[in-house]
Amino acid sequence: MSDKMARLKIDGIEEEIVLPVYSGSTGPVVIDIRKLVNEGVFTYDPGFLSTASCESEITYIDGEAGVLLHRGYPIEQLAEKSNFLETSYLLLNGELPSPEEMNDFENSIRYHTMVDESIHQFLLGFPRTAHPMAMLCGVVSALSAFYHDDLDIEKDDHRLLAAHRVIAKMPTLAAMCYKHGIGQPSMYPLNPLGLAENFLRMMFGTPCEEYKASPILANALDTLFLLHADHEQNASTSTVRLASSSGSNPYACIASGIAALWGPAHGGANEAVLDMLGEIGDESRISEFIGRAKDKHDPFRLMGFGHRVYKNYDPRATVIRGICDEVLDELGVGNDPLFRIAKRLEKIALEDDYFIERKLFPNVDFYSGIILKAIGIPTSMFTVIFAMGRTPGWIAHWHEMLSEPYRIGRPRQLYTGKTHRDYPA
Ligand code: SDX
C-alpha cells in the first residue's frame, strides 16, 4: 500500500479525488490513476512520456544523469566485464549466472540455433530486393507456426524455452535474410562457435571455403549486441508488452517489436545515420546540414541525435564511440571519411546553442553504424543487428509480464470527432 497520496481537484467535480502515490526502488514516484475512470475522467499523455505503463525490475534509466542499469548493473560495467549472452541471462533471470548456470544457458542457446528447413522455403517467397527488416519480421512471426500447439505461456519452463529459442534463432534468421538478398546459400550455424562469431560466419561464409571471423570484430559485435539488449519501456518493448497482454504467441509478439523498431525515429536511425553521413559526404557540408536540422520548415533531423529520455548523454553512445576508435584503428581505417564526418558533426552540434538548449546529444545509433560498416555489414542490415541485440530485452519483458497476473492493455482517448448525428433520411 501507499503512505503518500495525491489530491486532485477538478473544476466541475465537487469531490476532491485522492490518488495513491507509489515509490519504486529508485526513480520518480508514480500516481496510481486507475480509479479515475470511475470518476468519468481519463488522463491525457500522447506518446506516454509521463506515463508508467507497468512495474518492472529489469532496466532502470535516469535520463538526466545518463544512467542505464540492467538489474542494477551499470551498462558501462557490463560492456567492459560481461558479454551479450551473460547479459541476456541477467535480463531474463534477474541475477548473473554461476559458471554452471552460464554453461547450461550457453548449451541451451547453442542447441536451438537451427531453424526448421521449411523456413528456408518461406524466405524464397520474398523478392531479393526486400528490405531485411521486412523479411525478419515475416520469418520471426512464422516461428509461431512451428511453436504453437504445445506452448503453454502460463508455464514458467515453457516461457523460458521460448525465450532461449528466440534468442538462439534470431542470428540464424538474420543471416538467412541477408543471404537471400544477395543470392547466396544460407550457412548453417556451427555449434563450437560463439554467438557473434557464428553470426559473422553465417553472414560472410560460403560453402566454398572455410571462414574464420576476426576475434576483434566478433568481440566488437558482441559488445554492440550487449549495448542494445534492453532499454526500459521504449517503443518496441512497449509494443511487445501490449501485444503480449492479449496472450498472443511470443514469436508473433517479438515480430511486433521488430515492426516497431524498424522506424527511423527508433531502431531504424542507425541505418538513417549512415545514409545521412553519406549525404553530407564532406566535412565542408556539415554546417549546411546543421542549418537544415535547425530549420523548422525542413523535415530533416540530425539522425542519431536526441532521445526521448536521455537529456544529458546516452551512456551507450559513449561506450560505442570508444569501440569505434578501436575497431577502425584495428582495421587500419581510423581515417574513415564517414567517421571523420561523424566526429566533426558531433563536435559542431555539441557547441551549437540549438542542440545545447534542446539537450540533443548523440544516442546509441550515432556511432553504431560506423562500426557495422567497418565490419562489412551492409547498411540495410543495421536495424536487423539492432533487433538481434534487443531480442533478449523484448523476451525478458514478455517473460516478466506473464510471470505475474496481467490484463489486456487498453488505452482510451480524448475524442474530438463528430458527436451523434443521424444518417440523412
Ligand atoms: C532509439 O526510447 C528508447 O529508449 C529508444 C532507444 C532504445 O534503445 O530503444 O534508445 C533507441 O530509438 C534512439 C533514438 C534514435 N532516433 C534518432 O536518432 C532519430 C533522430 N532523433 C529524433 O527523431 C528525436 O530526437 C527522437 C525521436 C529520438 C526523440 O524525439 P522527442 O523526444 O519527441 O524530441 P522532440 O520531438 O520533442 O524534440 C524536441 C526538440 C524539437 O525542437 P522544438 O520543437 O523544441 O524547436 O528538439 C528537436 C525537435 O525539433 N529535435 C531535433 C532532433 N531531435 C529533436 N532537431 C534536430 N535533430 C534531431 N535529431
Side-chain angles (χ1 to χ4, degrees):
M1 277 311 285
S2 163
D3 54 4
K4 292 181 190 154
M5 307 305 269
R7 287 167 176 74
L8 189 56
K9 186 70 187 77
I10 301 177
D11 292 344
I13 295 179
E14 192 173 330
E15 285 292 304
E16 180 183 74
I17 302 171
V18 181
L19 301 167
V21 174
Y22 308 134
S23 301
S25 44
T26 183
V29 296
V30 299
I31 301 172
D32 182 344
I33 56 167
R34 284 176 286 185
K35 70 188 285 191
L36 282 181
V37 66
N38 302 328
E39 307 285 342
V41 174
F42 297 154
T43 57
Y44 183 64
D45 183 20
F48 311 118
L49 202 57
S50 296
T51 295
S53 62
C54 62
E55 180 179 338
S56 179
E57 299 178 4
I58 299 174
T59 289
Y60 174 70
I61 299 174
D62 179 335
E64 287 304 325
V67 167
L68 169 55
L69 307 178
H70 290 321
R71 302 286 188 175
Y73 295 102
I75 190 67
E76 297 87 347
Q77 294 182 26
L78 290 170
E80 185 189 341
K81 299 175 181 173
S82 182
N83 60 56
F84 178 55
L85 270 189
E86 184 185 66
T87 298
S88 300
Y89 181 98
L90 173 68
L91 291 170
L92 199 51
N93 299 288
E95 295 295 337
L96 289 168
S98 66
E100 297 73 29
E101 288 167 332
M102 191 60 201
N103 188 54
D104 292 345
F105 183 61
E106 280 174 332
N107 279 332
S108 177
I109 297 299
R110 179 175 292 119
Y111 295 111
H112 281 105
T113 50
M114 281 217 299
V115 295
D116 188 289
E117 276 302 289
S118 48
I119 298 263
H120 292 268
Q121 313 311 320
F122 185 97
L123 265 172
L124 294 178
F126 288 105
R128 286 218 193 293
T129 53
H131 193 289
M133 283 296 278
M135 291 192 265
L136 189 69
C137 213
V139 292
V140 170
S141 186
L143 288 180
S144 50
F146 297 90
Y147 305 108
H148 183 76
D149 297 338
D150 58 354
L151 172 62
D152 181 351
I153 60 175
E154 300 307 321
K155 290 183 178 162
D156 202 58
D157 57 339
H158 283 223
R159 288 202 302 278
L160 285 172
L161 176 57
H164 293 192
R165 275 182 169 142
V166 76
I167 292 170
K169 295 181 193 306
M170 198 61 82
T172 307
L173 293 169
M176 287 167 64
C177 292
Y178 171 64
K179 286 296 198 186
H180 175 70
I182 62 173
Q184 283 188 2
S186 294
M187 299 290 285
Y188 287 90
L190 280 186
N191 290 341
L193 300 182
L195 186 140
E197 197 183 355
N198 221 344
F199 174 67
L200 288 173
R201 181 180 169 278
M202 290 189 282
M203 281 283 290
F204 301 123
T206 70
C208 314
E209 58 187 10
E210 288 303 310
Y211 175 89
K212 179 87 176 86
S214 148
I216 302 279
L217 300 187
N219 187 49
L221 193 55
D222 188 270
T223 306
L224 269 184
F225 288 145
L226 184 158
L227 291 166
H228 287 78
D230 190 49
H231 212 239
E232 198 216 61
Q233 305 306 325
N234 60 85
S236 52
T237 302
S238 297
T239 302
V240 171
R241 276 185 172 257
L242 193 55
S244 306
S245 72
S246 69
S248 288
N249 180 290
Y251 303 99
C253 294
I254 296 297
S256 74
I258 294 173
L261 185 75
W262 192 358
H266 192 11
N270 56 12
E271 179 176 350
V273 166
L274 257 288
D275 294 343
M276 174 187 73
L277 294 175
E279 192 185 352
I280 292 174
D282 185 277
E283 291 181 53
S284 62
R285 295 193 62 202
I286 288 175
S287 301
E288 171 196 335
F289 281 82
I290 294 271
R292 286 187 56 194
K294 292 154 62 173
D295 178 356
K296 288 296 159 229
H297 302 297
D298 188 329
F300 174 78
R301 282 196 163 181
L302 218 47
M303 301 316 283
F305 264 74
H307 199 276
R308 229 337 133 67
V309 175
Y310 288 124
K311 298 304 177 188
N312 190 332
Y313 66 95
D314 184 336
R316 301 166 297 175
T318 308
V319 176
I320 290 178
R321 192 181 195 283
I323 300 172
C324 242
D325 282 320
E326 284 168 29
V327 168
L328 294 180
D329 287 347
E330 174 64 26
L331 293 172
V333 290
N335 207 23
D336 176 283
L338 292 183
F339 190 40
R340 269 208 330 271
I341 293 171
K343 287 201 281 190
R344 183 103 184 93
L345 180 62
E346 178 191 22
K347 184 176 182 320
I348 295 174
L350 294 184
E351 291 166 357
D352 185 298
D353 287 344
Y354 173 92
F355 293 89
I356 295 168
E357 286 159 15
R358 291 166 180 79
K359 299 186 176 183
L360 301 174
F361 297 81
N363 57 46
V364 67
D365 294 304
F366 187 64
Y367 283 107
S368 54
I370 292 164
I371 298 173
L372 296 174
K373 178 179 175 292
I375 292 176
I377 291 172
T379 308
S380 62
M381 282 289 289
F382 286 6
T383 311
V384 170
I385 300 292
F386 194 144
M388 288 169 61
R390 185 53 50 89
T391 296
W394 286 332
I395 205 71
H397 281 274
W398 170 77
H399 178 51
E400 178 183 64
M401 192 178 98
L402 271 64
S403 301
E404 301 290 336
Y406 62 95
R407 303 175 73 181
I408 190 167
R410 182 37 173 106
R412 302 303 301 274
Q413 63 180 9
L414 170 65
Y415 179 68
T416 54
K418 296 288 187 198
T419 55
H420 176 89
R421 56 181 173 165
D422 292 324
Y423 193 86

